[in-house]
Amino acid sequence: MAQYGSRLIVPIDVKKKPWEQKLPLHNRWHPDIPPVAEVKVGEAFRVEMVDFSGGGITQDYTAEDIKHAEQSIVHYLSGPIRVVDEDGTPAKPGDLLVVEILNLGPLPGDEWGYTATFDRENGGGFLTDHFPCATKAIWYFEGIYAYSPHIPGVRFPGLTHPGIIGTAPSLELLNIWNQRERELEENGLQTLKLCEVLHSRPLANLPTTRGCVLGKIEKGTPEWEKIAREAARTIPGRENGGNCDIKNLSRGSKIYLPVFVDGANFSTGDMHFSQGDGEVSFCGAIEMSGFLELKCDIIRGGMKEYLTPMGPTPLHVNPIFEIGPVEPRFSEWLVFEGISVDESGRQHYLDASVAYKRAVLNAIDYLSKFGYSKEQVYLLLSCCPCEGRISGIVDSPNACATLAIPTAIFDQDIRPKNNKVPVGPRLVRKPDVLKCTYDGNLPITKNPSTST
C-alpha cells in the first residue's frame, strides 16, 4: 500500500532541552557536524523544531529571561539532513538543493509565541540606542490569527515561515566566513561610518565554544573542541542561506540552496508565526516552536548553471527563493518614508539603513499617538505583516526607504483626519509590554522634535 502524508524524521519534545532530544540539535555551521537523518528526492517528510532559544525564553509574564538571555546558544537547529537521489547518490558540491515547503505551523499543544527586544548590553537591536531596555510581548494563536494581551487592539493573520534554512558550508567557505567577519569585528568601528548611527554590537559574532551544541558530537572530546573553535555562528545569513528571515517563505515556497558538501546536510529552525520586514527588534518575529513538511530535489551542476559568483571564488554565491501562493490579503496600507538623514540632522550618502531606521522611527512616533507606548509599537512593527521597501537608491544624496503597515490589523482607524487624534478610555492601551530596567551607561539617542 502506498504511504501518504509526511514521514516524521526529526521529532521534538518541547519539555526536553535541545541536547536531550531524540535526535540532538545543533547551533553552529560546520561541515563535520554529522547528519541526523536522510531523505530521498521526492519524499515528503516532516521536521519539528524548538524555538530559537530552545525553551530559554518562557511564557512567563516577565522580561527577565530576555534581559539575561544567553546569546551564545542562538539558534538551535534541527538537522543536518542528508539528501540523496532515487539511486542513493548524495547531493554533491556544485549542485543546487531544491527545498519545497509543503506545510508548516506551530507544534500542536504549543500554540503561543513571543516578540522581544534584547537589552542593549546583551544583543540590542536595530533601534537599541532608542530602546535599550529588554522588553517582551506574549502572543497566542487562534488558527491563522495572533493576538497579544500586551499589545491590545491588534489582531492579524500570520505568514508563518522558517527564519533559518541552509546547507552546511565546506571547510573552505567556513574559513572565508571566519576571516572576513573577524576582520570586521576587529577593524569595523574605526573604518565604518555606519557604526555611528546603528548601535547593535558586536559587529560580528565570531566562533566560540561557549554555548556550542554540535548534534551527535559529544561535548568535551578532542573532536568537539576542534569543531567548536571553528564553527560559524548561525546569526547572519550567508552564502549557504541560513538566517535570511524572509517572511514570505511560507506554504508553497521553494528554496534553491547551493550545495558545498556531500549530501547537502541542510538544517532549519527559528520558526516564526509572523514577522515584519527587517525583524527590527532583533528578537523580533513571533518566535515559536514549529514544524515543516518538506520535499527536496537535486539539480545536478546547478550552482554553475544558475548562480553567478559575486566575489573572488566560485563559493561566493547566494540562494534563490521562490515565493509561494499563500499570503494574507490586505488592501489598505499606511506608508511611512525615511531618508538618509539621521536623528542629529546629519546627511548620509544613499544609506538605505539610515533611511529605513528613519522610516521605522517615523512609524513608531505616529502610532504612539493612538494610545500605544512606543515599546508596544516597536515590537508590533517587528512582528506584524508590514512591508519594508527600498523605494529609491539612485537619487543622491538620499536613499528612500518605506515601511507599509496594513491598517486592517488595528481595531481603530489610524489614518490622519481633519479632527484631532481620537481620545477616550477605549484607546488607553493597558497593559504595556513586559519590561526591565536598563542598567548600562551607554548614551540613549533622542530625537529633539519627537513626541513624548
Side-chain angles (χ1 to χ4, degrees):
M1 179 181 292
Q3 178 179 336
Y4 297 97
S6 300
R7 177 170 68 98
L8 176 61
I9 63 167
V10 181
I12 287 295
D13 183 345
V14 295
K15 297 179 182 179
K16 293 183 177 180
K17 302 293 185 183
W19 51 88
E20 297 173 340
Q21 299 295 329
K22 181 178 180 181
L23 297 176
L25 309 184
H26 66 102
N27 59 10
R28 299 290 192 272
W29 296 115
H30 195 282
D32 293 337
I33 299 175
V36 299
E38 180 177 292
V39 297
K40 282 190 175 182
V41 298
E43 173 188 9
F45 58 95
R46 178 182 172 109
V47 180
E48 297 181 344
M49 289 155 280
V50 297
D51 77 286
F52 86 87
S53 75
I57 309 303
T58 71
Q59 202 171 350
D60 297 340
Y61 278 23
T62 174
E64 290 293 329
D65 51 358
I66 290 290
K67 181 174 182 177
H68 303 291
E70 178 53 68
Q71 299 295 336
S72 66
I73 57 90
V74 177
H75 308 77
Y76 286 113
L77 304 181
S78 294
I81 300 165
R82 174 181 167 90
V83 183
V84 301
D85 64 19
E86 296 91 339
D87 299 323
T89 304
K92 296 289 185 181
D95 294 342
L96 274 185
L97 179 67
V98 185
V99 182
E100 181 178 2
I101 300 176
L102 305 175
N103 196 16
L104 75 178
L107 285 181
D110 204 38
E111 292 94 350
W112 71 280
Y114 57 90
T115 307
T117 57
F118 294 119
D119 186 276
R120 186 173 179 181
E121 310 283 338
N122 188 34
F126 190 48
L127 304 181
T128 193
D129 54 319
H130 288 261
F131 299 95
C133 301
T135 63
K136 184 173 78 173
I138 301 294
W139 297 86
Y140 300 104
F141 308 149
E142 297 176 327
I144 66 169
Y145 292 95
Y147 73 94
S148 172
H150 304 117
I151 309 178
V154 172
R155 185 173 183 261
F156 52 81
L159 186 53
T160 303
H161 61 278
I164 296 178
I165 187 164
T167 51
S170 64
L171 187 58
E172 180 183 358
L173 182 58
L174 179 67
N175 290 336
I176 289 172
W177 293 351
N178 288 339
Q179 180 178 349
R180 73 189 184 198
E181 291 175 18
R182 186 173 302 279
E183 182 178 352
L184 172 65
E185 171 63 15
E186 292 175 353
N187 302 314
L189 286 175
Q190 289 74 43
T191 60
L192 300 178
K193 293 296 183 184
L194 190 56
C195 298
E196 302 172 8
V197 186
L198 301 183
H199 296 270
S200 291
R201 300 291 186 271
L203 300 185
N205 294 273
L206 302 178
T208 176
T209 59
R210 180 174 177 176
C212 184
V213 177
L214 298 176
K216 290 182 177 180
I217 301 174
E218 186 177 350
K219 185 175 182 179
T221 63
E223 182 185 20
W224 186 94
E225 293 290 344
K226 176 182 180 297
I227 294 175
R229 287 193 297 269
E230 299 171 346
R233 301 295 305 280
T234 61
I235 293 173
R238 300 186 182 92
E239 286 85 350
N240 68 326
N243 193 24
C244 296
D245 287 322
I246 300 173
K247 69 176 175 57
N248 304 82
L249 289 181
S250 195
R251 292 176 181 85
S253 296
K254 290 184 179 180
I255 305 100
Y256 300 85
L257 294 165
V259 176
F260 302 104
V261 301
D262 279 359
N265 288 359
F266 84 93
S267 302
T268 185
D270 190 28
M271 283 294 289
H272 298 161
F273 187 84
S274 176
Q275 180 201 292
D277 280 335
E279 198 184 11
V280 290
S281 77
F282 193 22
C283 186
I286 300 181
E287 310 285 346
M288 68 173 192
S289 64
F291 73 92
L292 289 175
E293 292 180 353
L294 305 171
K295 185 169 66 173
C296 290
D297 198 1
I298 299 170
I299 300 176
R300 297 295 184 184
M303 281 179 62
K304 184 177 180 180
E305 190 73 25
Y306 293 107
L307 304 183
T308 301
M310 296 294 173
T313 79
L315 304 178
H316 286 81
V317 294
N318 295 100
I320 298 172
F321 304 92
E322 182 180 344
I323 302 305
V326 181
E327 293 189 0
R329 290 198 300 264
F330 298 104
S331 60
E332 297 182 349
W333 304 75
L334 203 59
V335 182
F336 296 87
E337 180 193 49
I339 57 174
S340 304
V341 178
D342 66 29
E343 299 90 313
S344 71
R346 184 174 51 162
Q347 179 74 60
H348 296 257
Y349 175 68
L350 294 179
D351 197 314
S353 295
V354 174
Y356 198 59
K357 185 181 183 186
R358 176 87 174 260
V360 176
L361 287 169
N362 286 340
I364 290 173
D365 198 65
Y366 178 88
L367 290 173
S368 69
K369 301 176 188 296
F370 290 83
Y372 293 101
S373 72
K374 293 186 178 182
E375 287 83 0
Q376 285 176 316
V377 182
Y378 185 25
L379 293 188
L380 177 63
L381 296 183
S382 193
C383 70
C384 78
C386 55
E387 301 279 345
R389 296 286 187 272
I390 298 176
S391 300
I393 201 67
V394 295
D395 299 313
S396 302
N398 281 327
C400 178
T402 55
L403 180 65
I405 304 169
T407 58
I409 71 174
F410 297 94
D411 69 352
Q412 60 178 307
D413 188 349
I414 62 166
R415 295 172 298 176
K417 305 173 189 65
N418 282 327
N419 53 321
K420 291 185 177 181
V421 173
V423 293
R426 185 180 68 85
L427 299 180
V428 177
R429 302 299 183 185
K430 298 293 182 182
D432 201 348
V433 297
L434 305 164
K435 187 175 180 180
C436 292
T437 59
Y438 173 60
D439 303 322
N441 55 12
L442 294 172
I444 297 174
T445 302
K446 298 287 187 181
N447 178 0
S449 300
T450 192
S451 62
T452 56

